[in-house]
Amino acid sequence: MDQNSGNSHGRVVAALHGVSMRRHTTGQVILDSLDWTVRAGEHWALLGPNGAGKTSVLRLVGATAFPTTGTVDVLGHRLGRVDVRELRARIGHVSTSQRVPGDLTGLTTVLTGHTGTVQPLWKSYGDEVRERAHGLLAELHVKELADRPYGVCSGGQRARILIARALMADPALLLLDEPFNALDLPSREDLVDTMRHLALNRAELSTVTVTHHVEELSPAIGHALLLREGRVLAAGPVGDVLTRERMTACFGRPIEVSRHGGRWLARSGGFG
């Protein structure tokens, strides 16, 4: 399967070639001979059972880990030959496990994305930076949270604030590590709408979303990568990857998959 189809002429944003990762202490194989390419404007979903290697892949393309063997190129630079601190500044990262002081307002939380810090560096935030932060809160439909403490925001509100924070650096690549974790249904749907909006309005932005549930994928997701035991089971256009046969092979039990209006549904059961 051609995993680059659908945007074959796009600029390569991230490329993994022959990548393997082993745990230093035990030698356990985490990733095994993985090949994968993300191009500008592509939106990928990473799916697989617990322990499949999803977080490790995200760490590689986020320049926070290095492969044991193989090569990783991100935004035109090869890991091991570039100052990863500068590279990380051009990559947006969103995770519900991110440490954000609860007393920071929504606006201040977004501002810290400009400096890549946990605590605000006030001297770095001029009028233009503040205007950009306000604009991102408005774009993600949470401008009313500018003065609200992060700690009292709902899970869905926090997720959108964190996305706004990640976008402060105007990244070419946005990585989302289980952003829907613990969200209720309305919050999930708000976040799905947000991801669709970003895809429509930022043509060159590439995203990679790690999730356990296909129901969380926005209609903007055009590609999917299935991982099982550290290996690529399938990668390519989402309609070719999220099939009954491949999902069943990936998760080790019968899974039925359907798609309605660009949204996905998966459930386990017989195929009678």
PDB file of all heavy atoms in Angstrom, residues 1-3 34-36 44-48 223-228 231-243 245-247 249-250:
ATOM      1  N   MET A   1       0.844  -1.197   0.000  1.00  0.00           N
ATOM      2  CA  MET A   1       0.000   0.000   0.000  1.00  0.00           C
ATOM      3  C   MET A   1       0.876   1.242   0.000  1.00  0.00           C
ATOM      4  O   MET A   1       1.852   1.329   0.738  1.00  0.00           O
ATOM      5  CB  MET A   1      -0.882  -0.008   1.253  1.00  0.00           C
ATOM      6  CG  MET A   1      -1.858   1.159   1.318  1.00  0.00           C
ATOM      7  SD  MET A   1      -2.649   1.214   2.940  1.00  0.00           S
ATOM      8  CE  MET A   1      -3.312  -0.433   3.032  1.00  0.00           C
ATOM      9  N   ASP A   2       0.552   2.234  -0.781  1.00  0.00           N
ATOM     10  CA  ASP A   2       1.306   3.474  -0.824  1.00  0.00           C
ATOM     11  C   ASP A   2       0.815   4.393   0.271  1.00  0.00           C
ATOM     12  O   ASP A   2      -0.244   4.988   0.184  1.00  0.00           O
ATOM     13  CB  ASP A   2       1.131   4.141  -2.193  1.00  0.00           C
ATOM     14  CG  ASP A   2       1.862   5.478  -2.280  1.00  0.00           C
ATOM     15  OD1 ASP A   2       2.616   5.787  -1.349  1.00  0.00           O
ATOM     16  OD2 ASP A   2       1.657   6.181  -3.288  1.00  0.00           O
ATOM     17  N   GLN A   3       1.620   4.507   1.351  1.00  0.00           N
ATOM     18  CA  GLN A   3       1.168   5.309   2.477  1.00  0.00           C
ATOM     19  C   GLN A   3       1.261   6.789   2.200  1.00  0.00           C
ATOM     20  O   GLN A   3       0.804   7.606   2.996  1.00  0.00           O
ATOM     21  CB  GLN A   3       1.974   4.961   3.733  1.00  0.00           C
ATOM     22  CG  GLN A   3       3.450   5.231   3.626  1.00  0.00           C
ATOM     23  CD  GLN A   3       4.142   4.994   4.953  1.00  0.00           C
ATOM     24  OE1 GLN A   3       4.000   5.759   5.876  1.00  0.00           O
ATOM     25  NE2 GLN A   3       4.891   3.927   5.026  1.00  0.00           N
ATOM     26  N   LEU A  34      10.397   0.013  11.533  1.00  0.00           N
ATOM     27  CA  LEU A  34       9.240   0.829  11.188  1.00  0.00           C
ATOM     28  C   LEU A  34       9.584   1.841  10.097  1.00  0.00           C
ATOM     29  O   LEU A  34      10.573   2.555  10.182  1.00  0.00           O
ATOM     30  CB  LEU A  34       8.750   1.549  12.450  1.00  0.00           C
ATOM     31  CG  LEU A  34       7.391   2.249  12.396  1.00  0.00           C
ATOM     32  CD1 LEU A  34       6.703   2.131  13.741  1.00  0.00           C
ATOM     33  CD2 LEU A  34       7.561   3.720  12.046  1.00  0.00           C
ATOM     34  N   ASP A  35       8.744   1.886   9.060  1.00  0.00           N
ATOM     35  CA  ASP A  35       8.836   2.881   7.996  1.00  0.00           C
ATOM     36  C   ASP A  35       7.530   3.666   7.963  1.00  0.00           C
ATOM     37  O   ASP A  35       6.449   3.078   7.980  1.00  0.00           O
ATOM     38  CB  ASP A  35       9.054   2.220   6.627  1.00  0.00           C
ATOM     39  CG  ASP A  35      10.398   1.526   6.519  1.00  0.00           C
ATOM     40  OD1 ASP A  35      11.425   2.167   6.820  1.00  0.00           O
ATOM     41  OD2 ASP A  35      10.425   0.340   6.135  1.00  0.00           O
ATOM     42  N   TRP A  36       7.648   4.995   7.887  1.00  0.00           N
ATOM     43  CA  TRP A  36       6.442   5.830   7.910  1.00  0.00           C
ATOM     44  C   TRP A  36       6.796   7.235   7.459  1.00  0.00           C
ATOM     45  O   TRP A  36       7.848   7.754   7.809  1.00  0.00           O
ATOM     46  CB  TRP A  36       5.866   5.862   9.328  1.00  0.00           C
ATOM     47  CG  TRP A  36       4.602   6.639   9.509  1.00  0.00           C
ATOM     48  CD1 TRP A  36       3.508   6.623   8.702  1.00  0.00           C
ATOM     49  CD2 TRP A  36       4.298   7.536  10.584  1.00  0.00           C
ATOM     50  NE1 TRP A  36       2.536   7.446   9.207  1.00  0.00           N
ATOM     51  CE2 TRP A  36       2.996   8.018  10.359  1.00  0.00           C
ATOM     52  CE3 TRP A  36       5.002   7.962  11.703  1.00  0.00           C
ATOM     53  CZ2 TRP A  36       2.379   8.923  11.220  1.00  0.00           C
ATOM     54  CZ3 TRP A  36       4.395   8.851  12.572  1.00  0.00           C
ATOM     55  CH2 TRP A  36       3.095   9.324  12.329  1.00  0.00           C
ATOM     56  N   TRP A  44      -3.049  12.392  10.368  1.00  0.00           N
ATOM     57  CA  TRP A  44      -2.908  10.967  10.644  1.00  0.00           C
ATOM     58  C   TRP A  44      -3.501  10.593  11.993  1.00  0.00           C
ATOM     59  O   TRP A  44      -3.434  11.365  12.954  1.00  0.00           O
ATOM     60  CB  TRP A  44      -1.431  10.586  10.669  1.00  0.00           C
ATOM     61  CG  TRP A  44      -0.798  10.465   9.315  1.00  0.00           C
ATOM     62  CD1 TRP A  44      -0.343  11.484   8.516  1.00  0.00           C
ATOM     63  CD2 TRP A  44      -0.538   9.255   8.603  1.00  0.00           C
ATOM     64  NE1 TRP A  44       0.188  10.976   7.356  1.00  0.00           N
ATOM     65  CE2 TRP A  44       0.088   9.611   7.381  1.00  0.00           C
ATOM     66  CE3 TRP A  44      -0.758   7.901   8.880  1.00  0.00           C
ATOM     67  CZ2 TRP A  44       0.484   8.663   6.443  1.00  0.00           C
ATOM     68  CZ3 TRP A  44      -0.367   6.957   7.958  1.00  0.00           C
ATOM     69  CH2 TRP A  44       0.245   7.333   6.746  1.00  0.00           C
ATOM     70  N   ALA A  45      -4.057   9.390  12.058  1.00  0.00           N
ATOM     71  CA  ALA A  45      -4.449   8.773  13.316  1.00  0.00           C
ATOM     72  C   ALA A  45      -3.500   7.611  13.586  1.00  0.00           C
ATOM     73  O   ALA A  45      -3.186   6.840  12.683  1.00  0.00           O
ATOM     74  CB  ALA A  45      -5.886   8.261  13.242  1.00  0.00           C
ATOM     75  N   LEU A  46      -3.029   7.498  14.826  1.00  0.00           N
ATOM     76  CA  LEU A  46      -2.219   6.364  15.269  1.00  0.00           C
ATOM     77  C   LEU A  46      -3.070   5.511  16.189  1.00  0.00           C
ATOM     78  O   LEU A  46      -3.521   5.982  17.243  1.00  0.00           O
ATOM     79  CB  LEU A  46      -0.974   6.842  16.012  1.00  0.00           C
ATOM     80  CG  LEU A  46       0.343   6.886  15.241  1.00  0.00           C
ATOM     81  CD1 LEU A  46       0.231   7.845  14.084  1.00  0.00           C
ATOM     82  CD2 LEU A  46       1.488   7.269  16.161  1.00  0.00           C
ATOM     83  N   LEU A  47      -3.285   4.258  15.794  1.00  0.00           N
ATOM     84  CA  LEU A  47      -4.120   3.361  16.578  1.00  0.00           C
ATOM     85  C   LEU A  47      -3.400   2.043  16.805  1.00  0.00           C
ATOM     86  O   LEU A  47      -2.568   1.625  16.003  1.00  0.00           O
ATOM     87  CB  LEU A  47      -5.452   3.098  15.875  1.00  0.00           C
ATOM     88  CG  LEU A  47      -6.365   4.298  15.654  1.00  0.00           C
ATOM     89  CD1 LEU A  47      -6.569   4.524  14.174  1.00  0.00           C
ATOM     90  CD2 LEU A  47      -7.701   4.079  16.337  1.00  0.00           C
ATOM     91  N   GLY A  48      -3.748   1.387  17.896  1.00  0.00           N
ATOM     92  CA  GLY A  48      -3.194   0.087  18.212  1.00  0.00           C
ATOM     93  C   GLY A  48      -3.439  -0.236  19.667  1.00  0.00           C
ATOM     94  O   GLY A  48      -3.774   0.652  20.472  1.00  0.00           O
ATOM     95  N   HIS A 223      -5.499   9.838   6.913  1.00  0.00           N
ATOM     96  CA  HIS A 223      -4.562   8.723   6.925  1.00  0.00           C
ATOM     97  C   HIS A 223      -4.562   8.063   8.300  1.00  0.00           C
ATOM     98  O   HIS A 223      -4.857   8.720   9.307  1.00  0.00           O
ATOM     99  CB  HIS A 223      -3.147   9.197   6.594  1.00  0.00           C
ATOM    100  CG  HIS A 223      -2.994   9.721   5.203  1.00  0.00           C
ATOM    101  ND1 HIS A 223      -3.437  10.972   4.836  1.00  0.00           N
ATOM    102  CD2 HIS A 223      -2.453   9.165   4.088  1.00  0.00           C
ATOM    103  CE1 HIS A 223      -3.168  11.166   3.543  1.00  0.00           C
ATOM    104  NE2 HIS A 223      -2.573  10.082   3.082  1.00  0.00           N
ATOM    105  N   ALA A 224      -4.204   6.802   8.329  1.00  0.00           N
ATOM    106  CA  ALA A 224      -4.135   6.083   9.598  1.00  0.00           C
ATOM    107  C   ALA A 224      -2.960   5.117   9.585  1.00  0.00           C
ATOM    108  O   ALA A 224      -2.584   4.571   8.533  1.00  0.00           O
ATOM    109  CB  ALA A 224      -5.435   5.321   9.860  1.00  0.00           C
ATOM    110  N   LEU A 225      -2.391   4.935  10.778  1.00  0.00           N
ATOM    111  CA  LEU A 225      -1.303   3.985  10.992  1.00  0.00           C
ATOM    112  C   LEU A 225      -1.743   3.025  12.084  1.00  0.00           C
ATOM    113  O   LEU A 225      -2.104   3.448  13.181  1.00  0.00           O
ATOM    114  CB  LEU A 225      -0.038   4.735  11.424  1.00  0.00           C
ATOM    115  CG  LEU A 225       1.170   3.913  11.855  1.00  0.00           C
ATOM    116  CD1 LEU A 225       1.769   3.181  10.662  1.00  0.00           C
ATOM    117  CD2 LEU A 225       2.233   4.807  12.501  1.00  0.00           C
ATOM    118  N   LEU A 226      -1.749   1.741  11.767  1.00  0.00           N
ATOM    119  CA  LEU A 226      -2.083   0.705  12.739  1.00  0.00           C
ATOM    120  C   LEU A 226      -0.795   0.054  13.215  1.00  0.00           C
ATOM    121  O   LEU A 226       0.008  -0.419  12.401  1.00  0.00           O
ATOM    122  CB  LEU A 226      -2.996  -0.358  12.133  1.00  0.00           C
ATOM    123  CG  LEU A 226      -4.446   0.008  11.839  1.00  0.00           C
ATOM    124  CD1 LEU A 226      -5.198  -1.227  11.339  1.00  0.00           C
ATOM    125  CD2 LEU A 226      -5.142   0.585  13.070  1.00  0.00           C
ATOM    126  N   LEU A 227      -0.597   0.036  14.529  1.00  0.00           N
ATOM    127  CA  LEU A 227       0.584  -0.581  15.121  1.00  0.00           C
ATOM    128  C   LEU A 227       0.175  -1.784  15.956  1.00  0.00           C
ATOM    129  O   LEU A 227      -0.847  -1.762  16.654  1.00  0.00           O
ATOM    130  CB  LEU A 227       1.306   0.417  16.032  1.00  0.00           C
ATOM    131  CG  LEU A 227       2.083   1.562  15.380  1.00  0.00           C
ATOM    132  CD1 LEU A 227       2.566   2.520  16.447  1.00  0.00           C
ATOM    133  CD2 LEU A 227       3.248   1.046  14.558  1.00  0.00           C
ATOM    134  N   ARG A 228       0.989  -2.820  15.871  1.00  0.00           N
ATOM    135  CA  ARG A 228       0.796  -3.983  16.728  1.00  0.00           C
ATOM    136  C   ARG A 228       2.169  -4.548  17.078  1.00  0.00           C
ATOM    137  O   ARG A 228       2.971  -4.839  16.192  1.00  0.00           O
ATOM    138  CB  ARG A 228      -0.062  -5.056  16.057  1.00  0.00           C
ATOM    139  CG  ARG A 228      -0.302  -6.273  16.948  1.00  0.00           C
ATOM    140  CD  ARG A 228      -1.281  -7.251  16.338  1.00  0.00           C
ATOM    141  NE  ARG A 228      -1.411  -8.453  17.150  1.00  0.00           N
ATOM    142  CZ  ARG A 228      -2.199  -8.568  18.220  1.00  0.00           C
ATOM    143  NH1 ARG A 228      -2.936  -7.525  18.593  1.00  0.00           N
ATOM    144  NH2 ARG A 228      -2.265  -9.678  18.914  1.00  0.00           N
ATOM    145  N   ARG A 231       5.237  -3.014  15.388  1.00  0.00           N
ATOM    146  CA  ARG A 231       5.369  -3.097  13.929  1.00  0.00           C
ATOM    147  C   ARG A 231       4.180  -2.433  13.242  1.00  0.00           C
ATOM    148  O   ARG A 231       3.076  -2.385  13.799  1.00  0.00           O
ATOM    149  CB  ARG A 231       5.469  -4.556  13.483  1.00  0.00           C
ATOM    150  CG  ARG A 231       6.724  -5.266  13.964  1.00  0.00           C
ATOM    151  CD  ARG A 231       6.809  -6.670  13.403  1.00  0.00           C
ATOM    152  NE  ARG A 231       8.050  -7.330  13.795  1.00  0.00           N
ATOM    153  CZ  ARG A 231       8.406  -8.537  13.376  1.00  0.00           C
ATOM    154  NH1 ARG A 231       7.606  -9.212  12.553  1.00  0.00           N
ATOM    155  NH2 ARG A 231       9.559  -9.067  13.778  1.00  0.00           N
ATOM    156  N   VAL A 232       4.427  -1.956  12.030  1.00  0.00           N
ATOM    157  CA  VAL A 232       3.350  -1.366  11.235  1.00  0.00           C
ATOM    158  C   VAL A 232       2.515  -2.489  10.640  1.00  0.00           C
ATOM    159  O   VAL A 232       3.013  -3.300   9.863  1.00  0.00           O
ATOM    160  CB  VAL A 232       3.908  -0.477  10.112  1.00  0.00           C
ATOM    161  CG1 VAL A 232       2.763   0.022   9.230  1.00  0.00           C
ATOM    162  CG2 VAL A 232       4.680   0.702  10.685  1.00  0.00           C
ATOM    163  N   LEU A 233       1.247  -2.520  11.036  1.00  0.00           N
ATOM    164  CA  LEU A 233       0.332  -3.499  10.459  1.00  0.00           C
ATOM    165  C   LEU A 233      -0.262  -2.964   9.161  1.00  0.00           C
ATOM    166  O   LEU A 233      -0.458  -3.705   8.196  1.00  0.00           O
ATOM    167  CB  LEU A 233      -0.783  -3.819  11.455  1.00  0.00           C
ATOM    168  CG  LEU A 233      -1.711  -4.978  11.097  1.00  0.00           C
ATOM    169  CD1 LEU A 233      -0.939  -6.293  11.118  1.00  0.00           C
ATOM    170  CD2 LEU A 233      -2.873  -5.042  12.074  1.00  0.00           C
ATOM    171  N   ALA A 234      -0.531  -1.671   9.123  1.00  0.00           N
ATOM    172  CA  ALA A 234      -1.043  -1.024   7.911  1.00  0.00           C
ATOM    173  C   ALA A 234      -0.849   0.474   8.058  1.00  0.00           C
ATOM    174  O   ALA A 234      -0.914   1.012   9.160  1.00  0.00           O
ATOM    175  CB  ALA A 234      -2.521  -1.350   7.690  1.00  0.00           C
ATOM    176  N   ALA A 235      -0.609   1.153   6.940  1.00  0.00           N
ATOM    177  CA  ALA A 235      -0.465   2.612   6.950  1.00  0.00           C
ATOM    178  C   ALA A 235      -0.887   3.145   5.592  1.00  0.00           C
ATOM    179  O   ALA A 235      -0.495   2.593   4.560  1.00  0.00           O
ATOM    180  CB  ALA A 235       0.975   3.020   7.257  1.00  0.00           C
ATOM    181  N   GLY A 236      -1.696   4.188   5.594  1.00  0.00           N
ATOM    182  CA  GLY A 236      -2.114   4.761   4.330  1.00  0.00           C
ATOM    183  C   GLY A 236      -3.432   5.504   4.452  1.00  0.00           C
ATOM    184  O   GLY A 236      -3.828   5.903   5.551  1.00  0.00           O
ATOM    185  N   PRO A 237      -4.138   5.709   3.345  1.00  0.00           N
ATOM    186  CA  PRO A 237      -5.439   6.378   3.383  1.00  0.00           C
ATOM    187  C   PRO A 237      -6.368   5.700   4.388  1.00  0.00           C
ATOM    188  O   PRO A 237      -6.433   4.465   4.450  1.00  0.00           O
ATOM    189  CB  PRO A 237      -5.946   6.233   1.949  1.00  0.00           C
ATOM    190  CG  PRO A 237      -4.702   6.129   1.131  1.00  0.00           C
ATOM    191  CD  PRO A 237      -3.735   5.355   1.966  1.00  0.00           C
ATOM    192  N   VAL A 238      -7.072   6.507   5.154  1.00  0.00           N
ATOM    193  CA  VAL A 238      -7.823   5.983   6.278  1.00  0.00           C
ATOM    194  C   VAL A 238      -8.849   4.923   5.860  1.00  0.00           C
ATOM    195  O   VAL A 238      -9.058   3.929   6.566  1.00  0.00           O
ATOM    196  CB  VAL A 238      -8.494   7.143   7.045  1.00  0.00           C
ATOM    197  CG1 VAL A 238      -9.552   7.848   6.216  1.00  0.00           C
ATOM    198  CG2 VAL A 238      -9.052   6.671   8.370  1.00  0.00           C
ATOM    199  N   GLY A 239      -9.460   5.091   4.690  1.00  0.00           N
ATOM    200  CA  GLY A 239     -10.451   4.124   4.249  1.00  0.00           C
ATOM    201  C   GLY A 239      -9.859   2.770   3.903  1.00  0.00           C
ATOM    202  O   GLY A 239     -10.544   1.741   3.965  1.00  0.00           O
ATOM    203  N   ASP A 240      -8.572   2.745   3.548  1.00  0.00           N
ATOM    204  CA  ASP A 240      -7.897   1.483   3.244  1.00  0.00           C
ATOM    205  C   ASP A 240      -7.382   0.789   4.485  1.00  0.00           C
ATOM    206  O   ASP A 240      -7.147  -0.426   4.480  1.00  0.00           O
ATOM    207  CB  ASP A 240      -6.713   1.728   2.292  1.00  0.00           C
ATOM    208  CG  ASP A 240      -7.141   2.232   0.924  1.00  0.00           C
ATOM    209  OD1 ASP A 240      -8.324   2.049   0.571  1.00  0.00           O
ATOM    210  OD2 ASP A 240      -6.290   2.819   0.230  1.00  0.00           O
ATOM    211  N   VAL A 241      -7.174   1.561   5.549  1.00  0.00           N
ATOM    212  CA  VAL A 241      -6.556   1.018   6.758  1.00  0.00           C
ATOM    213  C   VAL A 241      -7.595   0.565   7.782  1.00  0.00           C
ATOM    214  O   VAL A 241      -7.474  -0.509   8.374  1.00  0.00           O
ATOM    215  CB  VAL A 241      -5.610   2.066   7.383  1.00  0.00           C
ATOM    216  CG1 VAL A 241      -5.090   1.591   8.740  1.00  0.00           C
ATOM    217  CG2 VAL A 241      -4.446   2.337   6.433  1.00  0.00           C
ATOM    218  N   LEU A 242      -8.622   1.382   8.001  1.00  0.00           N
ATOM    219  CA  LEU A 242      -9.609   1.053   9.033  1.00  0.00           C
ATOM    220  C   LEU A 242     -10.683   0.124   8.483  1.00  0.00           C
ATOM    221  O   LEU A 242     -11.864   0.464   8.406  1.00  0.00           O
ATOM    222  CB  LEU A 242     -10.229   2.333   9.599  1.00  0.00           C
ATOM    223  CG  LEU A 242      -9.257   3.315  10.253  1.00  0.00           C
ATOM    224  CD1 LEU A 242     -10.021   4.449  10.929  1.00  0.00           C
ATOM    225  CD2 LEU A 242      -8.341   2.620  11.253  1.00  0.00           C
ATOM    226  N   THR A 243     -10.250  -1.060   8.115  1.00  0.00           N
ATOM    227  CA  THR A 243     -11.167  -2.087   7.618  1.00  0.00           C
ATOM    228  C   THR A 243     -11.398  -3.131   8.706  1.00  0.00           C
ATOM    229  O   THR A 243     -10.621  -3.226   9.668  1.00  0.00           O
ATOM    230  CB  THR A 243     -10.598  -2.775   6.381  1.00  0.00           C
ATOM    231  OG1 THR A 243      -9.403  -3.502   6.747  1.00  0.00           O
ATOM    232  CG2 THR A 243     -10.252  -1.762   5.289  1.00  0.00           C
ATOM    233  N   GLU A 245     -10.989  -6.315   8.501  1.00  0.00           N
ATOM    234  CA  GLU A 245      -9.906  -7.298   8.532  1.00  0.00           C
ATOM    235  C   GLU A 245      -8.671  -6.753   9.248  1.00  0.00           C
ATOM    236  O   GLU A 245      -8.062  -7.430  10.091  1.00  0.00           O
ATOM    237  CB  GLU A 245      -9.547  -7.723   7.107  1.00  0.00           C
ATOM    238  CG  GLU A 245     -10.627  -8.485   6.364  1.00  0.00           C
ATOM    239  CD  GLU A 245     -11.762  -7.595   5.865  1.00  0.00           C
ATOM    240  OE1 GLU A 245     -11.564  -6.351   5.814  1.00  0.00           O
ATOM    241  OE2 GLU A 245     -12.842  -8.130   5.540  1.00  0.00           O
ATOM    242  N   ARG A 246      -8.309  -5.518   8.932  1.00  0.00           N
ATOM    243  CA  ARG A 246      -7.082  -4.977   9.517  1.00  0.00           C
ATOM    244  C   ARG A 246      -7.273  -4.613  10.987  1.00  0.00           C
ATOM    245  O   ARG A 246      -6.360  -4.793  11.801  1.00  0.00           O
ATOM    246  CB  ARG A 246      -6.611  -3.769   8.712  1.00  0.00           C
ATOM    247  CG  ARG A 246      -6.039  -4.180   7.353  1.00  0.00           C
ATOM    248  CD  ARG A 246      -5.292  -3.040   6.705  1.00  0.00           C
ATOM    249  NE  ARG A 246      -4.454  -3.548   5.630  1.00  0.00           N
ATOM    250  CZ  ARG A 246      -4.621  -3.263   4.341  1.00  0.00           C
ATOM    251  NH1 ARG A 246      -5.606  -2.471   3.968  1.00  0.00           N
ATOM    252  NH2 ARG A 246      -3.807  -3.767   3.427  1.00  0.00           N
ATOM    253  N   MET A 247      -8.427  -4.086  11.345  1.00  0.00           N
ATOM    254  CA  MET A 247      -8.677  -3.763  12.748  1.00  0.00           C
ATOM    255  C   MET A 247      -8.746  -5.032  13.590  1.00  0.00           C
ATOM    256  O   MET A 247      -8.280  -5.077  14.732  1.00  0.00           O
ATOM    257  CB  MET A 247      -9.966  -2.958  12.870  1.00  0.00           C
ATOM    258  CG  MET A 247      -9.867  -1.542  12.330  1.00  0.00           C
ATOM    259  SD  MET A 247      -8.925  -0.445  13.415  1.00  0.00           S
ATOM    260  CE  MET A 247     -10.162  -0.106  14.681  1.00  0.00           C
ATOM    261  N   ALA A 249      -7.141  -7.843  12.928  1.00  0.00           N
ATOM    262  CA  ALA A 249      -5.763  -8.315  13.061  1.00  0.00           C
ATOM    263  C   ALA A 249      -4.987  -7.468  14.060  1.00  0.00           C
ATOM    264  O   ALA A 249      -4.151  -7.983  14.813  1.00  0.00           O
ATOM    265  CB  ALA A 249      -5.078  -8.290  11.701  1.00  0.00           C
ATOM    266  N   CYS A 250      -5.271  -6.183  14.096  1.00  0.00           N
ATOM    267  CA  CYS A 250      -4.534  -5.278  14.980  1.00  0.00           C
ATOM    268  C   CYS A 250      -4.879  -5.504  16.445  1.00  0.00           C
ATOM    269  O   CYS A 250      -3.993  -5.554  17.293  1.00  0.00           O
ATOM    270  CB  CYS A 250      -4.819  -3.833  14.584  1.00  0.00           C
ATOM    271  SG  CYS A 250      -3.872  -2.595  15.519  1.00  0.00           S
TER     272      CYS A 250
END
